[in-house]
């Protein structure tokens, strides 16, 4: 820490130019547009009233409440699935050597590089009741995947799959296997080793991954757009709500919901920044 | 015998870590597995603990065939070079781990932890985290943790390897005293011959995946089975085609005092290291050969009045162990060839 301060102690004009450039870039790209959303959420436009009262009214509208409820439900399931499988995949990648390990590692990263729209299309192909492999079978036992909540969860889980894995893998690699082996030699079985030794060591990485996954899940749009019917009270998530209302010239409702999504992201970021030092100290 | 290893073989790809190793480790003693890095000693220890699976052979602990048992059912205590502390638990919790896994009553666990922390002199650190301890303290904690479950054997993998020289020496003495107190069959791996000679009751010398010799520290030092053991357990020099310990060479300044077979040479260098003096002598008969190194006490060197350039006569001390120099034996098969059979200089 002290070293980096020493290096930067001589501040020439270049330093200031660079700083201004960065601040300007971030302002034009992020801060200014987002602040406009906040501004619009409270401003009176045309026939719509402005202010806090109408803002809250729009948010408590049944359609808005439904959309946020659905988004949260989907996010919770996606987070649960990705936490369980994420930790499992991380252990597999770090602790075992097997044929196809590198392929699995690449596959885990795939959702980061593939467009969410493509993910949605792929899921429709695989799970729709008319053309998918399992879709028809699942429908006969009463589970509809596409155009229903399970499909939303699938799509959301798919796009946020790597976040837990990429947080946990480096920590697992760093802690090594000595403590786990010591626990084994002291009489602990596999489950006890995981619960008492491995899990406490990767705890902060998992929490961090969960926060990132939650933020990503709440904001997912592309994949969800394809697998959801997207109509009011029928699979309309918060992001779809924003999109639909914006398209339907109900801009105040769209901005109100958008602002809530922004606030959730900011809270997630604050939580992450708060967790980071703890993780480093551990 | 507490641990019986029979015909154990372990390969990592093409690399043979252990080649048909059989060894018996006596009950209640402190045994050292000594050898150079990559010689297979750690692998053998890990196979005994069940942390590594042998490709062939059997391991028997206290009369039970443990070859197929998982580590948690072998009742061995294992201490790692880098402590393997449970970082998120206090020192007391670390020590209690094995007992809590065994679901012992709380009061019993508490009493046992207290007793062990006293034994390793860490009672005042019970509520600290391992990160607040020094390396030596962490290793003592790891030892207490391993001893808590009352293992039938205690296995230590280079236990002092990560510590600095002074702490290493302290812990070494401490381990010896601890063993005299608790008498648990203990096996430790080391590449430091001084550590093995000082601490162990018995030493197993391992090199290139094979056992070179098993014996007491004195046996190994005085009667090495081959040139590898001789070279690994202490300094050696070459006198008249034989390996010999530098302190086993007698220096004469007058030919009359020397025997008929004495080697005549010229002193080329005198190095003083603390209480000892190292004298490098170039033999006259073979000036192109390596210099013979002789170590003397400071007092004796002074009484001889040695100087660079003076002529001396060298011969092995009565009863000194000498080993013929192996003739270009390939690495890894040392000790297999005949010319390295040791011999003893007859007592005159």
């Amino acid at each position: 820490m002290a070293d980096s301060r020493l290096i930067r102690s001589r501040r020439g004009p270049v330093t200031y130019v660079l700083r201004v450039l960065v601040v300007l870039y971030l302002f034009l790209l992020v801060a200014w547009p987002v602040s406009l959303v906040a501004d619009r959420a409270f401003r009176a436009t045309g026939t719509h009233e402005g202010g806090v009262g109408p803002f809250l009214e729009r948010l408590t509208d049944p359609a808005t409440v439904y959309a946020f409820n659905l988004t949260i439900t989907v996010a919770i399931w996606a987070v649960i699935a990705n936490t369980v499988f994420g930790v499992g995949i991380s252990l597999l990648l770090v602790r075992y050597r097997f044929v196809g390990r590198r392929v699995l590692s690449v596959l885990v990263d795939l959702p980061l590089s593939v467009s969410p729209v493509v993910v949605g299309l792929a899921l429709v192909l695989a799970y729709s009741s008319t053309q998918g492999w399992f879709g028809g079978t699942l429908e006969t036992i009463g589970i509809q995947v596409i155009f229903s909540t399970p499909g939303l969860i699938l799509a959301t889980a798919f796009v946020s799959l790597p976040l837990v894995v990429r947080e946990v893998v480096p920590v697992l690699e760093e802690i090594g296997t000595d403590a786990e082996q010591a626990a084994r030699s002291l009489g602990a079985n596999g489950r006890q080793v995981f619960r008492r030794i491995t899990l406490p060591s990767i705890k902060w990485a998992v929490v961090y991954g969960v926060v990132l996954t939650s933020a990503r899940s709440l904001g997912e749009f592309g994949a969800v757009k394809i697998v959801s019917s997207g109509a009011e009270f029928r699979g309309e998530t918060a992001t779809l709500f924003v999109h639909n209302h914006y398209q339907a010239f109900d801009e105040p409702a769209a901005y109100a919901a958008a602002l809530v999504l922004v606030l959730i992201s900011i809270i997630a970021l604050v939580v992450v920044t708060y967790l980071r030092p703890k993780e480093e100290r551990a | 015998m507490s641990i019986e290893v029979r015909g154990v073989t372990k390969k990592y790809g093409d690399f043979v870590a252990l080649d048909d190793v059989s060894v018996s480790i006596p009950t209640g003693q402190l045994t050292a597995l000594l050898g150079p890095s990559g010689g297979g000693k750690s692998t053998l220890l890990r196979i005994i603990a069940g942390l590594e699976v042998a490709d062939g052979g059997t391991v028997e602990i206290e009369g039970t065939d443990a070859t197929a048992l998982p580590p948690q059912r072998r009742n061995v205590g294992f201490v790692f070079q880098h402590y393997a502390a449970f970082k998120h638990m206090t020192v007391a919790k670390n020590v209690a781990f094995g007992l809590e896994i065994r679901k012992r009553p709380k009061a019993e666990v508490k009493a046992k932890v207290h007793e062990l922390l006293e034994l390793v002199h860490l009672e005042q650190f019970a509520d600290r985290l391992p990160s607040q301890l020094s390396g030596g303290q962490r290793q003592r904690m790891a030892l207490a943790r391993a001893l808590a479950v009352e293992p039938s054997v205690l296995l230590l993998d280079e236990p002092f390897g990560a510590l600095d020289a002074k702490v290493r020496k302290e812990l070494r003495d401490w381990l010896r005293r601890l063993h005299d107190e608790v008498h648990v069959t203990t096996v430790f791996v080391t590449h430091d011959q001084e550590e093995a000679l000082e601490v162990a009751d018995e030493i197993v010398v391992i090199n290139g995946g094979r056992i070179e010799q098993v014996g007491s520290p004195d046996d190994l030092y005085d009667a090495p089975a081959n040139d590898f053991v001789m070279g690994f357990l202490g300094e050696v020099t070459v006198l008249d085609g034989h390996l010999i310990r530098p302190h086993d060479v007698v220096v004469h300044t007058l030919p009359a005092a020397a025997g008929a077979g004495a080697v005549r040479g010229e002193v080329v260098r005198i190095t003083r290291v603390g209480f000892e003096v190292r004298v490098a002598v170039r033999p006259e008969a073979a000036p192109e050969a390596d210099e013979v190194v002789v170590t003397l006490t400071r007092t004796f060197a002074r009484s001889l009045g040695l100087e660079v350039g003076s002529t001396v006569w060298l011969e092995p001390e009565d009863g000194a162990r000498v080993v013929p120099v192996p003739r270009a034996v390939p690495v890894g098969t040392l000790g297999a060839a005949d010319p390295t059979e040791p011999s003893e200089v007859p007592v005159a």
Side-chain angles (χ1 to χ4, degrees):
Chain A
M1 285 297 130
D3 289 349
S4 64
R5 217 174 291 148
L6 274 181
I7 292 164
R8 275 271 151 260
S9 62
R10 226 165 37 87
R11 287 177 194 147
V14 179
T15 317
Y16 287 103
V17 170
L18 283 175
R19 277 187 190 182
V20 169
L21 271 178
V22 169
V23 169
L24 206 64
Y25 181 77
L26 284 178
F27 176 77
L28 289 176
L29 203 65
V30 183
W32 182 46
V34 172
S35 71
L36 287 181
V37 171
D39 176 54
R40 278 299 185 86
F42 295 103
R43 189 186 284 181
T45 45
T47 57
H48 302 283
E49 286 179 68
V52 179
F55 171 76
L56 290 178
E57 222 167 83
R58 282 168 208 136
L59 286 184
T60 46
D61 182 80
T64 327
V65 172
Y66 169 85
F68 276 99
N69 268 340
L70 181 63
T71 295
I72 289 166
T73 311
V74 167
I76 286 173
W77 283 109
V79 165
I80 290 172
N82 276 341
T83 307
V84 173
F85 285 103
V87 172
I89 291 171
S90 307
L91 282 171
L92 200 62
L93 285 176
V94 177
R95 293 284 187 261
Y96 299 90
R97 292 290 171 269
F98 52 91
V99 183
R101 187 176 145 269
R102 292 179 66 106
V103 177
L104 178 66
S105 179
V106 171
L107 274 180
V108 166
D109 278 337
L110 194 69
L112 280 183
S113 44
V114 172
S115 163
V117 177
V118 179
V119 172
L121 286 175
L123 288 176
V124 169
L125 285 178
Y127 291 99
S128 86
S129 50
T130 46
Q131 44 190 335
W133 284 0
F134 322 110
T137 327
L138 286 170
E139 193 160 83
T140 53
I141 59 166
I143 303 170
Q144 197 196 351
V145 179
I146 301 302
F147 303 133
S148 170
T149 313
L152 295 175
I153 295 169
L154 266 183
T156 309
F158 190 125
V159 294
S160 57
L161 171 74
L163 299 170
V164 170
V165 177
R166 289 302 148 209
E167 284 303 317
V168 173
V169 161
V171 177
L172 271 179
E173 274 167 358
E174 194 197 307
I175 60 169
T177 55
D178 272 9
E180 290 169 14
Q181 291 185 339
R184 279 194 160 267
S185 76
L186 288 168
N189 61 34
R191 217 188 64 237
Q192 288 167 320
V193 170
F194 177 73
R195 207 171 58 77
R196 287 168 176 256
I197 306 298
T198 316
L199 204 52
S201 316
I202 60 172
K203 185 170 59 184
W204 290 114
V206 172
V207 170
Y208 190 56
V210 164
V211 173
L212 287 179
T213 308
S214 311
R216 182 77 182 81
S217 303
L218 292 171
E220 175 47 29
F221 176 73
V224 163
K225 171 87 177 141
I226 306 288
V227 297
S228 166
S229 46
E232 228 169 50
F233 300 110
R234 275 185 41 242
E236 189 184 52
T237 64
T239 48
L240 292 179
F241 176 92
V242 172
H243 176 76
N244 291 346
H245 282 257
Y246 183 77
Q247 298 277 306
F249 303 105
D250 182 12
E251 290 183 17
Y255 288 127
L259 182 62
V260 173
L261 285 174
V262 170
L263 289 177
I264 291 172
S265 311
I266 290 174
I267 290 168
L269 284 178
V270 169
V271 169
V272 163
T273 349
Y274 176 72
L275 287 179
R276 261 306 180 195
K278 269 191 180 164
E279 190 197 338
E280 275 160 17
R281 203 178 50 200
Chain B
M1 288 290 153
S2 185
I3 304 172
E4 283 283 350
V5 174
R6 288 194 201 93
V8 163
T9 300
K10 176 78 186 175
K11 283 181 194 160
Y12 296 104
D14 288 338
F15 177 72
V16 181
L18 290 172
D19 182 13
D20 194 18
V21 166
S22 298
V23 65
S24 299
I25 289 166
T27 309
Q29 297 215 328
L30 191 50
T31 305
L33 301 182
L34 175 68
S37 302
K41 54 195 192 309
S42 277
T43 308
L44 178 59
L45 195 77
R46 294 173 68 83
I47 285 173
I48 294 173
L51 299 174
E52 211 81 62
V53 180
D55 298 334
T58 60
V59 176
E60 208 174 86
I61 299 173
E62 299 272 310
T64 317
D65 182 14
T67 316
L69 283 183
Q72 68 264 32
R73 296 188 43 210
R74 293 192 181 201
N75 198 29
V76 297
F78 201 95
V79 173
F80 295 80
Q81 180 177 1
H82 297 287
Y83 329 123
F86 303 147
K87 294 192 183 78
H88 57 287
M89 297 182 192
T90 62
V91 171
K93 279 275 168 199
N94 262 275
V95 176
F97 185 85
L99 298 169
E100 284 177 353
I101 288 289
R102 285 168 173 73
K103 303 224 167 24
R104 295 281 167 78
K106 278 227 168 73
E108 188 197 320
V109 172
K110 210 176 159 203
K112 183 87 189 169
V113 168
H114 184 74
E115 178 197 325
L116 281 161
L117 286 179
E118 236 165 39
L119 184 72
V120 301
H121 308 300
L122 287 175
E123 58 272 41
Q124 70 273 38
F125 299 118
D127 297 322
R128 294 220 189 155
L129 286 172
S131 57
Q132 296 167 297
L133 301 184
S134 71
Q137 289 168 335
R138 272 183 234 185
Q139 199 56 298
R140 297 210 306 264
M141 180 197 80
L143 252 158
R145 184 176 71 183
L147 287 171
V149 298
E150 287 167 11
S152 42
V153 290
L154 182 61
L155 307 172
L156 306 106
D157 188 5
E158 303 240 9
F160 313 131
L163 304 168
D164 63 61
K166 191 166 170 289
V167 180
R168 188 153 65 211
K169 211 155 162 38
E170 280 169 21
L171 270 188
R172 197 194 278 174
D173 297 343
W174 177 84
L175 175 68
R176 182 66 242 184
R177 285 201 308 275
L178 180 82
H179 183 262
D180 293 340
E181 264 178 67
V182 295
H183 290 299
V184 58
T185 305
T186 306
V187 184
F188 76 102
V189 159
T190 180
H191 59 255
D192 180 348
Q193 93 284 355
E194 200 188 314
E195 193 167 292
L197 288 172
E198 200 178 312
V199 178
D201 297 313
E202 187 170 76
I203 300 177
V204 178
V205 182
I206 301 182
N207 178 43
R210 296 154 50 122
I211 291 184
E212 299 280 356
Q213 193 176 1
V214 182
S216 72
D218 290 355
D219 282 350
L220 261 58
Y221 193 84
D222 294 339
N226 53 49
D227 61 297
F228 174 79
V229 175
M230 182 156 186
F232 200 75
L233 262 86
E235 280 182 68
V236 286
T237 190
V238 177
L239 177 64
D240 199 16
H242 288 76
L243 293 174
I244 186 166
R245 302 238 181 261
H247 56 74
D248 277 347
V249 179
V250 184
V251 181
H252 300 286
T253 44
L254 295 168
V263 175
R264 190 184 141 107
E266 182 195 350
V267 175
V268 289
R269 200 167 48 253
I270 299 176
T271 319
R272 162 86 191 278
V273 186
F275 61 87
E276 93 180 10
V277 175
R278 289 180 193 169
V279 182
V281 177
R282 187 188 300 128
E284 257 171 28
E288 73 284 354
D290 286 342
E291 291 158 0
V292 183
V293 178
V294 186
T295 55
L296 308 166
T297 62
R298 190 191 49 176
T299 325
F300 188 54
R302 210 178 272 166
S303 72
L304 285 174
L306 292 179
E307 272 173 43
V308 173
S310 48
T311 304
V312 290
W313 286 262
L314 306 175
E315 60 181 345
E317 189 147 15
D318 292 343
R321 171 66 56 143
V322 295
V323 175
V325 177
R327 274 179 245 110
V329 179
V331 181
T333 60
L334 287 177
D338 274 342
T340 58
E341 277 301 304
S343 61
E344 204 162 301
V345 177
V347 178

